[in-house]
Amino acid sequence: MQFNRVLTAFSALTGSIRANNATHPLEIDLEALMQPNAAERAMMGVWVADDGATRLSLLPNGRYGKTLRAGRDIYRGRYEVDGSRLYFEGDTGRTAIGETRRGILTLGDHRFIRPGARSAA
């Protein structure tokens, strides 16, 4: 998520740096690059499985936590957003791909919705 933006910014800058000695130091605002884009902001927050037993929390820092109703953590890791797809990599190395459509996040055989949203059949 953010790492790709940093690499893109560096590659753009290296293409525009002149070979002669620059009189101004190179300044990069890394905080601006680390801000989530609109697609990432739309995915952030809590998602709840249809049966209410599992909660998926997508944090602004690119991390996620998947917990059971009892509050027990079952997975933690990082995620990236690419349009309507989400790519998950757990801290244990497990990977998964999710997809959103009409307010429903499908991840494996789980369907997640926002709390308070009505499930579309």
Side-chain angles (χ1 to χ4, degrees):
M1 175 163 46
Q2 295 108 352
F3 185 70
N4 288 341
R5 286 198 214 134
V6 172
L7 287 179
T8 302
F10 280 133
S11 66
L13 288 172
T14 57
S16 63
I17 296 176
R18 289 182 256 170
N20 62 0
N21 293 336
T23 57
H24 301 287
L26 181 62
E27 294 182 14
I28 301 172
D29 185 6
L30 292 178
E31 284 297 317
L33 294 173
M34 304 290 259
Q35 298 300 318
N37 63 33
E40 293 164 346
R41 282 192 305 272
M43 301 294 175
M44 286 181 213
V46 176
W47 295 79
V48 180
D50 279 343
D51 62 4
T54 308
R55 295 174 69 86
L56 181 65
S57 299
L58 303 179
L59 305 174
N61 64 357
R63 300 282 298 167
Y64 76 91
K66 192 173 179 183
T67 57
L68 295 176
R69 182 182 304 163
R72 193 185 92 201
D73 287 340
I74 52 177
Y75 293 111
R76 289 190 172 277
R78 65 183 196 90
Y79 74 96
E80 290 190 23
V81 177
D82 184 14
S84 63
R85 288 194 170 202
L86 288 96
Y87 299 92
F88 296 89
E89 181 179 3
D91 291 341
T92 61
R94 184 176 179 161
T95 60
I97 298 175
E99 188 169 13
T100 56
R101 236 183 234 156
R102 296 182 182 185
I104 298 173
L105 169 60
T106 305
L107 180 59
D109 50 352
H110 289 283
R111 289 171 23 119
F112 294 89
I113 58 172
R114 297 287 189 161
R118 291 191 164 181
S119 176

